[in-house]
Protein backbone atom coordinates (compact mmCIF):
# COMPACT_ATOMS: atom_id res chain seq x y z
CA UNK A 1 0.00 0.00 0.00
CA UNK A 2 2.84 2.36 0.89
CA UNK A 3 4.50 1.52 -2.43
CA UNK A 4 1.26 2.37 -4.24
CA UNK A 5 0.94 5.69 -2.41
CA UNK A 6 4.50 6.61 -3.43
CA UNK A 7 3.74 5.71 -7.06
CA UNK A 8 0.57 7.78 -7.37
CA UNK A 9 2.23 11.22 -6.95
CA UNK A 10 4.88 10.24 -9.51
CA UNK A 11 2.22 9.16 -11.99
CA UNK A 12 0.21 12.30 -11.30
CA UNK A 13 3.26 14.49 -11.85
CA UNK A 14 4.02 12.73 -15.12
CA UNK A 15 0.42 13.16 -16.23
CA UNK A 16 0.46 16.85 -15.37
CA UNK A 17 3.71 17.31 -17.29
CA UNK A 18 2.29 15.54 -20.34
CA UNK A 19 -0.89 17.59 -20.09
CA UNK A 20 1.00 20.87 -19.84
CA UNK A 21 3.09 19.98 -22.88
CA UNK A 22 -0.03 19.04 -24.83
CA UNK A 23 -1.78 22.22 -23.76
CA UNK A 24 1.19 24.31 -24.87
CA UNK A 25 0.35 23.42 -28.45
CA UNK A 26 1.92 24.22 -31.78
CA UNK A 27 1.02 27.91 -31.66
CA UNK A 28 3.08 28.43 -28.51
CA UNK A 29 5.90 26.36 -30.00
CA UNK A 30 6.14 28.39 -33.19
CA UNK A 31 5.89 31.67 -31.30
CA UNK A 32 8.73 30.58 -29.03
CA UNK A 33 11.06 29.79 -31.93
CA UNK A 34 9.87 32.74 -34.05
CA UNK A 35 9.00 30.93 -37.27
CA UNK A 36 6.88 28.17 -38.77
CA UNK A 37 8.59 25.05 -40.10
CA UNK A 38 6.67 23.97 -43.20
CA UNK A 39 7.08 20.69 -45.05
CA UNK A 40 6.98 21.20 -48.83
CA UNK A 41 7.74 19.37 -52.05
CA UNK A 42 10.91 21.30 -52.78
CA UNK A 43 11.16 20.55 -56.48
CA UNK A 44 7.72 21.14 -57.99
CA UNK A 45 7.52 24.26 -60.13
CA UNK A 46 4.40 26.27 -59.40
CA UNK A 47 3.83 24.69 -56.00
CA UNK A 48 7.09 24.65 -54.03
CA UNK A 49 10.51 25.28 -55.51
CA UNK A 50 13.28 27.83 -54.89
CA UNK A 51 13.80 30.27 -57.76
CA UNK A 52 17.18 31.15 -59.29
CA UNK A 53 17.86 33.44 -56.31
CA UNK A 54 16.97 30.76 -53.77
CA UNK A 55 13.62 32.34 -52.87
CA UNK A 56 10.87 29.81 -52.31
CA UNK A 57 7.93 30.19 -54.70
CA UNK A 58 4.67 28.36 -55.32
CA UNK A 59 1.07 27.87 -54.30
CA UNK A 60 1.98 25.59 -51.38
CA UNK A 61 4.70 28.02 -50.32
CA UNK A 62 2.18 30.87 -50.31
CA UNK A 63 -0.14 28.72 -48.21
CA UNK A 64 2.57 28.40 -45.56
CA UNK A 65 3.29 32.12 -45.86
CA UNK A 66 -0.38 32.85 -45.20
CA UNK A 67 -0.18 30.94 -41.91
CA UNK A 68 2.95 32.89 -40.94
CA UNK A 69 1.24 36.19 -41.78
CA UNK A 70 -1.70 35.19 -39.57
CA UNK A 71 0.49 34.17 -36.63
CA UNK A 72 3.34 36.68 -36.78
CA UNK A 73 2.07 39.45 -39.03
CA UNK A 74 5.05 38.56 -41.23
CA UNK A 75 4.63 36.13 -44.13
CA UNK A 76 8.38 35.57 -44.35
CA UNK A 77 8.68 33.93 -40.96
CA UNK A 78 8.69 30.46 -42.48
CA UNK A 79 11.44 27.89 -42.94
CA UNK A 80 10.96 25.13 -45.47
CA UNK A 81 11.79 21.43 -45.21
CA UNK A 82 11.81 19.66 -48.61
CA UNK A 83 10.17 16.25 -48.23
CA UNK A 84 9.61 13.26 -50.48
CA UNK A 85 6.23 11.58 -50.79
CA UNK A 86 7.58 8.83 -48.54
CA UNK A 87 8.88 11.07 -45.73
CA UNK A 88 6.24 13.84 -45.68
CA UNK A 89 3.82 12.32 -43.17
CA UNK A 90 6.53 10.98 -40.85
CA UNK A 91 8.04 14.46 -40.64
CA UNK A 92 4.70 15.85 -39.48
CA UNK A 93 4.00 13.01 -37.05
CA UNK A 94 7.43 13.34 -35.44
CA UNK A 95 7.19 17.12 -34.97
CA UNK A 96 9.99 17.87 -37.42
CA UNK A 97 7.58 20.27 -39.13
CA UNK A 98 4.64 22.31 -37.84
CA UNK A 99 2.47 22.08 -40.94
CA UNK A 100 2.57 20.06 -44.15
CA UNK A 101 1.86 22.08 -47.29
CA UNK A 102 3.07 19.55 -49.83
CA UNK A 103 0.47 18.61 -52.48
CA UNK A 104 -0.91 15.81 -50.27
CA UNK A 105 -4.26 14.18 -51.00
CA UNK A 106 -6.76 13.94 -48.18
CA UNK A 107 -7.98 10.37 -47.74
CA UNK A 108 -9.84 8.47 -45.04
CA UNK A 109 -6.85 6.32 -44.11
CA UNK A 110 -4.54 9.29 -43.82
CA UNK A 111 -7.04 11.13 -41.64
CA UNK A 112 -7.32 8.12 -39.33
CA UNK A 113 -4.36 5.73 -39.47
CA UNK A 114 -1.70 8.44 -39.72
CA UNK A 115 -3.08 10.66 -36.98
CA UNK A 116 -3.38 13.71 -39.22
CA UNK A 117 -5.98 16.40 -39.74
CA UNK A 118 -6.36 17.85 -43.22
CA UNK A 119 -7.73 21.38 -43.44
CA UNK A 120 -9.37 23.32 -46.28
CA UNK A 121 -8.29 22.09 -49.72
CA UNK A 122 -5.95 24.56 -51.42
CA UNK A 123 -6.02 22.79 -54.81
CA UNK A 124 -8.61 20.37 -56.23
CA UNK A 125 -6.82 18.00 -58.57
CA UNK A 126 -7.07 14.65 -60.32
CA UNK A 127 -4.57 12.09 -61.55
CA UNK A 128 -3.49 12.12 -65.18
CA UNK A 129 -0.82 10.90 -67.57
CA UNK A 130 2.07 12.78 -69.18
CA UNK A 131 3.53 11.33 -72.38
CA UNK A 132 5.97 12.35 -75.11
CA UNK A 133 4.07 13.44 -78.21
CA UNK A 134 6.39 11.17 -80.18
CA UNK A 135 4.77 8.16 -78.50
CA UNK A 136 1.73 8.78 -80.70
CA UNK A 137 -0.78 8.12 -77.92
CA UNK A 138 -3.99 10.13 -77.68
CA UNK A 139 -5.67 8.36 -74.76
CA UNK A 140 -4.66 6.58 -71.58
CA UNK A 141 -6.63 3.60 -72.87
CA UNK A 142 -3.86 3.13 -75.44
CA UNK A 143 -1.18 2.54 -72.79
CA UNK A 144 -1.42 -1.27 -72.63
CA UNK A 145 2.05 -2.65 -71.93
CA UNK A 146 3.53 0.78 -71.20
CA UNK A 147 6.24 1.44 -68.65
CA UNK A 148 4.92 3.99 -66.17
CA UNK A 149 6.97 6.30 -63.94
CA UNK A 150 5.28 6.68 -60.55
CA UNK A 151 6.20 7.82 -57.04
CA UNK A 152 5.95 5.25 -54.23
CA UNK A 153 3.88 5.88 -51.12
CA UNK A 154 1.34 8.00 -52.99
CA UNK A 155 -2.31 7.66 -53.92
CA UNK A 156 -1.18 7.72 -57.54
CA UNK A 157 0.61 4.40 -57.17
CA UNK A 158 -2.60 2.62 -56.16
CA UNK A 159 -4.79 4.61 -58.56
CA UNK A 160 -2.74 3.72 -61.63
CA UNK A 161 -2.68 0.03 -60.70
CA UNK A 162 -6.46 0.11 -60.25
CA UNK A 163 -6.96 1.94 -63.56
CA UNK A 164 -4.90 -0.53 -65.58
CA UNK A 165 -6.66 -3.45 -63.89
CA UNK A 166 -10.12 -2.06 -64.66
CA UNK A 167 -9.13 -1.35 -68.26
CA UNK A 168 -7.69 -4.90 -68.54
CA UNK A 169 -4.30 -3.52 -69.52
CA UNK A 170 -0.80 -4.40 -68.39
CA UNK A 171 1.79 -1.93 -67.11
CA UNK A 172 5.42 -1.99 -66.05
CA UNK A 173 5.90 0.39 -63.12
CA UNK A 174 9.13 2.36 -62.78
CA UNK A 175 9.19 3.40 -59.12
CA UNK A 176 11.61 6.11 -57.94
CA UNK A 177 11.17 7.92 -54.61
CA UNK A 178 12.30 11.43 -55.59
CA UNK A 179 10.15 13.60 -57.86
CA UNK A 180 13.27 15.14 -59.40
CA UNK A 181 14.87 11.75 -60.13
CA UNK A 182 11.60 10.33 -61.43
CA UNK A 183 11.28 13.29 -63.80
CA UNK A 184 14.83 12.77 -65.03
CA UNK A 185 14.06 9.13 -65.68
CA UNK A 186 10.96 10.06 -67.68
CA UNK A 187 12.72 12.70 -69.77
CA UNK A 188 15.60 10.27 -70.38
CA UNK A 189 13.13 7.79 -71.88
CA UNK A 190 13.26 5.17 -69.11
CA UNK A 191 9.46 5.02 -69.10
CA UNK A 192 6.75 5.63 -71.69
CA UNK A 193 4.64 7.85 -69.49
CA UNK A 194 4.50 9.49 -66.08
CA UNK A 195 1.44 9.51 -63.87
CA UNK A 196 0.68 11.91 -61.04
CA UNK A 197 -1.70 14.71 -60.13
CA UNK A 198 -2.42 16.70 -63.28
CA UNK A 199 -1.12 19.89 -61.65
CA UNK A 200 2.15 18.15 -60.80
CA UNK A 201 2.46 16.88 -64.37
CA UNK A 202 1.97 20.45 -65.60
CA UNK A 203 4.72 21.62 -63.28
CA UNK A 204 7.06 18.86 -64.45
CA UNK A 205 6.31 19.59 -68.11
CA UNK A 206 6.99 23.30 -67.54
CA UNK A 207 10.63 22.57 -66.68
CA UNK A 208 11.17 19.91 -69.35
CA UNK A 209 14.06 20.36 -71.79
CA UNK A 210 11.41 21.13 -74.43
CA UNK A 211 7.91 21.40 -72.90
CA UNK A 212 6.24 21.40 -76.33
CA UNK A 213 7.38 17.80 -76.85
CA UNK A 214 5.03 16.52 -74.12
CA UNK A 215 1.30 16.44 -73.52
CA UNK A 216 -1.09 15.51 -70.74
CA UNK A 217 -3.64 12.94 -71.87
CA UNK A 218 -7.34 13.83 -71.46
CA UNK A 219 -8.26 11.14 -68.90
CA UNK A 220 -8.47 12.14 -65.24
CA UNK A 221 -8.70 8.91 -63.27
CA UNK A 222 -9.15 10.03 -59.66
CA UNK A 223 -10.19 12.71 -57.19
CA UNK A 224 -7.19 14.36 -55.51
CA UNK A 225 -8.20 17.05 -53.01
CA UNK A 226 -4.80 18.49 -52.06
CA UNK A 227 -4.77 20.09 -48.63
CA UNK A 228 -2.42 21.19 -45.86
CA UNK A 229 -2.21 18.86 -42.88
CA UNK A 230 -1.50 19.17 -39.15
CA UNK A 231 -1.23 16.66 -36.31
CA UNK A 232 -4.23 15.28 -34.46
CA UNK A 233 -4.88 16.70 -31.03
CA UNK A 234 -4.22 20.41 -31.48
CA UNK A 235 -7.54 21.97 -32.42
CA UNK A 236 -6.37 25.57 -32.10
CA UNK A 237 -3.52 25.06 -34.56
CA UNK A 238 -5.83 23.22 -36.95
CA UNK A 239 -8.27 26.15 -36.80
CA UNK A 240 -5.49 28.66 -37.51
CA UNK A 241 -4.16 26.76 -40.53
CA UNK A 242 -7.68 26.03 -41.78
CA UNK A 243 -8.87 29.62 -41.58
CA UNK A 244 -5.64 30.95 -43.06
CA UNK A 245 -6.51 29.07 -46.26
CA UNK A 246 -10.18 30.02 -46.01
CA UNK A 247 -9.26 33.69 -45.53
CA UNK A 248 -7.74 33.79 -49.01
CA UNK A 249 -10.90 32.26 -50.47
CA UNK A 250 -13.21 34.57 -48.52
CA UNK A 251 -11.19 37.63 -49.53
CA UNK A 252 -11.57 36.78 -53.21
CA UNK A 253 -15.33 36.41 -52.80
CA UNK A 254 -15.51 39.75 -50.97
CA UNK A 255 -13.49 41.44 -53.70
CA UNK A 256 -10.57 42.17 -51.37
CA UNK A 257 -7.11 42.08 -52.96
CA UNK A 258 -3.59 42.90 -51.84
CA UNK A 259 -3.89 46.10 -53.88
CA UNK A 260 -7.22 47.43 -52.56
CA UNK A 261 -7.22 46.09 -48.99
CA UNK A 262 -6.29 49.40 -47.36
CA UNK A 263 -9.17 51.08 -49.14
CA UNK A 264 -11.48 48.21 -48.11
CA UNK A 265 -10.65 48.89 -44.47
CA UNK A 266 -13.07 51.81 -44.78
CA UNK A 267 -15.92 49.65 -46.08
CA UNK A 268 -19.27 49.87 -44.30
CA UNK A 269 -20.14 46.27 -45.24
CA UNK A 270 -20.39 44.33 -41.94
CA UNK A 271 -18.92 41.20 -43.57
CA UNK A 272 -15.85 43.13 -44.71
CA UNK A 273 -15.50 44.84 -41.33
CA UNK A 274 -15.57 41.51 -39.48
CA UNK A 275 -13.19 39.89 -41.96
CA UNK A 276 -10.59 42.65 -41.71
CA UNK A 277 -10.85 42.96 -37.94
CA UNK A 278 -12.42 46.44 -37.95
CA UNK A 279 -15.19 44.76 -35.99
CA UNK A 280 -13.22 42.60 -33.52
CA UNK A 281 -13.86 39.01 -32.52
CA UNK A 282 -12.43 36.63 -35.11
CA UNK A 283 -8.84 37.18 -34.03
CA UNK A 284 -9.64 36.55 -30.37
CA UNK A 285 -11.50 33.37 -31.31
CA UNK A 286 -8.36 31.99 -32.99
CA UNK A 287 -5.91 33.33 -30.41
CA UNK A 288 -4.47 35.79 -32.95
CA UNK A 289 -4.36 39.55 -33.48
CA UNK A 290 -7.54 41.01 -34.96
CA UNK A 291 -5.64 42.02 -38.11
CA UNK A 292 -4.59 38.43 -38.89
CA UNK A 293 -6.69 38.20 -42.08
CA UNK A 294 -5.60 41.68 -43.18
CA UNK A 295 -1.97 40.56 -42.90
CA UNK A 296 -2.60 37.47 -45.03
CA UNK A 297 -4.22 39.36 -47.90
CA UNK A 298 -1.89 42.36 -47.74
CA UNK A 299 1.26 40.24 -47.80
CA UNK A 300 0.22 37.10 -49.71
CA UNK A 301 -2.97 37.96 -51.61
CA UNK A 302 -6.39 36.41 -52.01
CA UNK A 303 -6.77 32.90 -53.44
CA UNK A 304 -7.24 34.12 -57.00
CA UNK A 305 -4.05 36.18 -56.80
CA UNK A 306 -2.11 33.23 -55.37
CA UNK A 307 -3.47 30.85 -58.02
CA UNK A 308 -2.79 33.09 -60.99
CA UNK A 309 0.66 34.11 -59.77
CA UNK A 310 1.87 30.54 -59.34
CA UNK A 311 -0.01 28.17 -61.63
CA UNK A 312 -2.50 30.20 -63.69
CA UNK A 313 -2.94 30.61 -67.44
CA UNK A 314 -0.19 33.22 -67.69
CA UNK A 315 2.42 30.98 -66.03
CA UNK A 316 4.34 28.12 -67.67
CA UNK A 317 1.82 25.69 -66.12
CA UNK A 318 -1.07 27.39 -67.97
CA UNK A 319 -3.73 25.97 -65.64
CA UNK A 320 -7.35 27.12 -65.79
CA UNK A 321 -9.18 27.74 -62.51
CA UNK A 322 -11.63 24.88 -63.18
CA UNK A 323 -12.66 23.25 -59.92
CA UNK A 324 -10.51 25.80 -58.12
CA UNK A 325 -12.73 28.69 -59.11
CA UNK A 326 -15.02 30.24 -56.52
CA UNK A 327 -18.34 28.50 -56.00
CA UNK A 328 -19.99 31.59 -57.48
CA UNK A 329 -18.09 30.87 -60.71
CA UNK A 330 -18.86 27.16 -60.92
CA UNK A 331 -15.91 25.95 -58.84
CA UNK A 332 -15.55 24.28 -55.45
CA UNK A 333 -13.85 27.08 -53.51
CA UNK A 334 -16.30 28.02 -50.78
CA UNK A 335 -15.71 29.53 -47.36
CA UNK A 336 -17.98 29.42 -44.29
CA UNK A 337 -18.95 32.82 -42.86
CA UNK A 338 -16.31 34.74 -40.94
CA UNK A 339 -18.38 35.54 -37.88
Amino acid sequence: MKHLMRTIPVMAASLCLATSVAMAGTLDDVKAKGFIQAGVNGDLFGFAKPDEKGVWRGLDVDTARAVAAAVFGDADKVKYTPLTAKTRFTALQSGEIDVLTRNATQTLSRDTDLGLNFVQVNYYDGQGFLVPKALGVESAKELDGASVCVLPGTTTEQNVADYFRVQKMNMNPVVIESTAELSKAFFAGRCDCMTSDASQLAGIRAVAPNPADYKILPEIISKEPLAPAVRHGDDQWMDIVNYSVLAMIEAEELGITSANIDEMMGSTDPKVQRFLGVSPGNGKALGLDENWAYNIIKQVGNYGEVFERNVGVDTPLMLERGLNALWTNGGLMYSPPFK
Side-chain angles (χ1 to χ4, degrees), residues 252-314:
E252 184 178 10
E253 183 174 344
L254 292 173
I256 304 171
T257 70
S258 58
N260 72 12
I261 191 168
D262 289 321
E263 178 185 348
M264 295 293 283
M265 289 289 286
S267 172
T268 57
D269 185 335
K271 290 185 293 185
V272 174
Q273 291 179 334
R274 284 192 294 268
F275 178 77
L276 294 177
V278 176
S279 297
N282 288 337
K284 181 180 179 181
L286 292 169
L288 301 174
D289 291 339
E290 293 297 340
N291 61 351
W292 66 278
Y294 170 92
N295 290 331
I296 291 174
I297 309 309
K298 182 69 174 180
Q299 298 179 36
V300 183
N302 68 31
Y303 183 78
E305 291 178 278
V306 170
F307 185 99
E308 297 300 342
R309 176 168 66 238
N310 292 298
V311 301
V313 292
D314 293 327

Side-chain angles (χ1 to χ4, degrees), residues 179-190 194:
T179 301
E181 293 303 315
L182 192 72
S183 300
K184 288 179 183 178
F186 172 67
F187 292 132
R190 286 183 55 191
M194 174 181 282

Side-chain angles (χ1 to χ4, degrees), residues 50-274:
D51 64 16
E52 62 278 0
K53 295 181 181 179
V55 178
W56 284 87
R57 308 284 186 189
L59 188 145
D60 285 337
V61 169
D62 279 344
T63 301
R65 294 180 70 242
V67 180
V71 172
F72 295 109
D74 185 346
D76 293 329
K77 288 193 174 182
V78 188
K79 294 185 179 180
Y80 302 97
T81 300
L83 297 167
T84 66
K86 188 175 181 179
T87 62
R88 56 186 167 172
F89 299 126
T90 304
L92 182 58
Q93 292 166 328
S94 67
E96 179 185 347
I97 59 174
D98 303 309
V99 60
L100 181 68
T101 57
R102 188 203 180 280
N103 57 305
T105 302
Q106 179 179 11
T107 69
L108 185 149
S109 61
R110 289 174 177 176
D111 266 331
T112 54
D113 296 347
L114 297 183
L116 306 180
N117 281 330
F118 286 85
V119 302
Q120 167 64 37
V121 171
N122 69 342
Y123 192 93
Y124 288 98
D125 211 344
Q127 185 173 336
F129 296 90
L130 179 68
V131 299
K133 290 181 179 178
L135 191 64
V137 170
E138 299 297 328
S139 167
K141 295 178 181 179
E142 300 172 25
L143 292 174
D144 188 19
S147 54
V148 182
C149 277
V150 62
L151 288 169
T154 61
T155 56
T156 58
E157 188 177 20
Q158 180 180 352
N159 290 340
V160 70
D162 289 347
Y163 178 77
F164 271 76
R165 188 177 301 113
V166 169
Q167 296 298 325
K168 295 182 171 55
M169 300 190 304
N170 295 315
M171 62 172 282
N172 300 304
V174 177
V175 181
I176 301 173
E177 183 175 323
S178 162
T179 301
E181 293 303 315
L182 192 72
S183 300
K184 288 179 183 178
F186 172 67
F187 292 132
R190 286 183 55 191
C191 48
D192 298 312
C193 74
M194 174 181 282
T195 186
S196 188
D197 299 340
S199 64
Q200 185 164 350
L201 297 178
I204 291 169
R205 180 178 61 178
V207 296
N210 187 354
D213 289 344
Y214 302 90
K215 65 180 177 181
I216 298 174
L217 297 178
E219 287 83 3
I220 297 296
I221 66 171
S222 70
K223 295 185 293 184
E224 306 293 334
L226 308 181
V230 297
R231 288 178 291 277
H232 272 177
D234 191 340
D235 289 349
Q236 182 185 25
W237 185 244
M238 182 180 71
D239 287 342
I240 289 170
V241 176
N242 186 40
Y243 274 92
S244 292
V245 180
L246 288 167
M248 294 187 284
I249 298 170
E250 177 75 354
E252 184 178 10
E253 183 174 344
L254 292 173
I256 304 171
T257 70
S258 58
N260 72 12
I261 191 168
D262 289 321
E263 178 185 348
M264 295 293 283
M265 289 289 286
S267 172
T268 57
D269 185 335
K271 290 185 293 185
V272 174
Q273 291 179 334
R274 284 192 294 268

Side-chain angles (χ1 to χ4, degrees), residues 19-37:
T19 302
S20 66
V21 171
M23 288 180 65
T26 309
L27 178 60
D28 288 342
D29 290 343
V30 299
K31 283 185 173 181
K33 64 187 177 184
F35 61 89
I36 292 168
Q37 195 75 43

